[in-house]
Amino acid sequence: MIIAAIDIGSNAARLLINEVKETDGKAEFTKLNLLRIPLRLGFDVFSKGEIGAERKQMVIKTMTIFRELMEIYKVEHYRACATSAMRDAKNGQEIIDIVKEQADINIEIITGDEEATLIYENHVAEGLDKDFAYLYVDVGGGSTELTFYENNEMQYEHSFNIGTIRLLNGLVTPTIWDDMKDEIKDKIKSKKTIVAIGSGGNINKIFSMSKTKEGKPMAVSVIKKYLKEMQILSVEERMQLYQIREDRADVIVPALNIFNNVMTWADIKHIYVPKISVADGLVHSIYTKITDQK
């Protein structure tokens, strides 16, 4: 079975194509292709309230290419979801209608809480030590999703309008930060030690740079170290020193700032970075829905 997921975020759009095979009643997901296009919709939406003409055309062209790739790979099932930037864009529905007409792709605008649920759909915590509680932290361009998992079930999920592009545009007020801090201190509590599970391109990059072994948790001190190093550098200096693209170099410091605050307020010392995403969660949720209908 070939399943595709399209995630249209505030910083980039992704197409993930997976082949799913059942072996001894267990599903195995094999990545066939992952394509990332840095549309950067949040830079328009969070400052002007809508997606500008240039980025509008980029969305339409990107979705047309995604449709062609899905046909080449003979995708049988797909789901396309848009998150924070498209949620806030005044012309979001207009663009969705054009994409449907020109690329024959149905885009759903999902809530922040639905986004948090999709990250949880990866079910990473179930495979980890039951002696700990786990906080999923997904940092995007427009929002941060938190999902708290303890004793084999989800205890709490919430989406905050705190994202890397919003921070770059100066749109996150001290009051918004305080709301997040109060919510974390009130809701993310356990007698067990809490460990984070991080997702998003920025934490993936930091994890690979840290040389932490795959499958092992990274210490929060690594996040603090890179935040201290990077925040005094220009975007160009970050690009040269760390060999990263411009569309990563500008958002990586705001992302580290968010991860650092969340982990500090929740008193978390370690974070797993299993390279999961909304797109991965979408593929898993599509597969679960199909198998449940059988």
Side-chain angles (χ1 to χ4, degrees), residues 1-8 14-18 20 62-71 73-82 96-109 118 278-290 293:
M1 184 190 303
I2 312 293
I3 297 175
I6 295 172
D7 168 27
I8 305 165
R14 293 173 182 82
L15 168 67
L16 172 65
I17 302 175
N18 272 17
V20 189
T62 298
M63 292 305 115
T64 303
I65 290 165
F66 283 4
R67 164 53 70 189
E68 289 173 357
L69 275 170
M70 289 197 295
E71 287 174 359
Y73 278 92
K74 295 182 169 58
V75 169
E76 298 159 70
H77 306 277
Y78 85 94
R79 191 176 170 202
C81 292
I96 286 170
D97 293 342
I98 295 170
V99 167
K100 172 60 182 164
E101 184 183 329
Q102 295 191 17
D104 193 26
I105 287 176
N106 291 302
I107 299 172
E108 305 167 50
I109 296 178
L118 285 169
V278 169
D280 290 294
L282 273 170
V283 167
H284 282 85
S285 68
I286 292 165
Y287 177 75
T288 301
K289 189 175 180 181
I290 292 163
Q293 287 172 349

Side-chain angles (χ1 to χ4, degrees), residues 146 156 158-162 172-187 265:
L146 301 182
Y156 164 86
H158 194 72
S159 176
F160 298 88
N161 271 349
I162 298 176
V172 181
T173 64
T175 303
I176 296 171
W177 276 120
D178 286 343
D179 288 346
M180 179 190 244
K181 180 180 180 180
D182 292 344
E183 187 81 5
I184 288 171
K185 288 189 171 293
D186 182 48
K187 298 292 193 331
W265 294 333

Side-chain angles (χ1 to χ4, degrees), residues 258-273:
I258 296 168
F259 275 106
N260 183 51
N261 283 343
V262 169
M263 293 175 72
T264 300
W265 294 333
D267 194 26
I268 294 172
K269 302 292 190 289
H270 290 90
I271 181 169
Y272 283 97
V273 186

Side-chain angles (χ1 to χ4, degrees), residues 22-231:
E22 281 196 14
T23 308
D24 299 325
K26 190 173 183 292
E28 291 183 2
F29 294 81
T30 304
K31 186 186 296 179
L32 301 180
N33 204 337
L34 173 63
L35 181 60
R36 177 186 182 274
I37 308 290
L39 295 177
R40 320 217 82 185
L41 302 181
F43 281 98
D44 281 358
V45 176
F46 304 142
S47 59
K48 304 175 208 161
E50 64 180 16
I51 296 165
E54 185 180 346
R55 286 197 168 97
K56 176 179 169 181
Q57 287 307 311
M58 285 172 66
V59 173
I60 295 163
K61 286 178 182 175
T62 298
M63 292 305 115
T64 303
I65 290 165
F66 283 4
R67 164 53 70 189
E68 289 173 357
L69 275 170
M70 289 197 295
E71 287 174 359
I72 289 166
Y73 278 92
K74 295 182 169 58
V75 169
E76 298 159 70
H77 306 277
Y78 85 94
R79 191 176 170 202
C81 292
T83 56
S84 189
M86 201 73 96
R87 276 199 298 270
D88 289 6
K90 285 184 287 192
N91 58 344
Q93 190 56 51
E94 175 201 332
I95 292 170
I96 286 170
D97 293 342
I98 295 170
V99 167
K100 172 60 182 164
E101 184 183 329
Q102 295 191 17
D104 193 26
I105 287 176
N106 291 302
I107 299 172
E108 305 167 50
I109 296 178
I110 61 171
T111 67
D113 286 349
E114 284 177 286
E115 207 176 334
T117 301
L118 285 169
I119 290 294
Y120 173 72
E121 281 284 348
N122 290 283
H123 296 298
V124 174
E126 281 87 333
L128 299 174
D129 193 329
K130 300 293 186 286
D131 290 336
F132 297 94
Y134 297 94
L135 179 66
Y136 288 84
V137 185
D138 181 59
V139 174
S143 61
T144 294
E145 278 66 49
L146 301 182
T147 309
F148 186 47
Y149 177 91
E150 185 182 28
N151 299 326
N152 290 328
E153 58 184 47
M154 187 202 301
Q155 304 289 342
Y156 164 86
E157 66 178 0
H158 194 72
S159 176
F160 298 88
N161 271 349
I162 298 176
T164 57
I165 297 175
R166 288 190 200 269
L167 278 169
L168 283 177
N169 284 325
L171 299 171
V172 181
T173 64
T175 303
I176 296 171
W177 276 120
D178 286 343
D179 288 346
M180 179 190 244
K181 180 180 180 180
D182 292 344
E183 187 81 5
I184 288 171
K185 288 189 171 293
D186 182 48
K187 298 292 193 331
I188 314 301
K189 292 184 286 194
S190 176
K191 290 177 181 175
K192 298 178 180 179
T193 299
I194 304 171
V195 180
I197 298 171
S199 56
N202 294 294
I203 198 69
N204 288 346
K205 187 66 190 175
I206 293 298
F207 183 81
S208 64
M209 286 163 51
S210 75
K211 302 290 190 287
T212 305
K213 281 186 179 178
E214 287 289 333
K216 297 290 183 186
M218 180 173 72
V220 70
S221 58
V222 174
I223 290 173
K224 293 181 185 296
K225 168 185 172 287
Y226 279 111
L227 178 58
K228 188 178 179 183
E229 283 179 16
M230 290 183 174
Q231 64 187 357

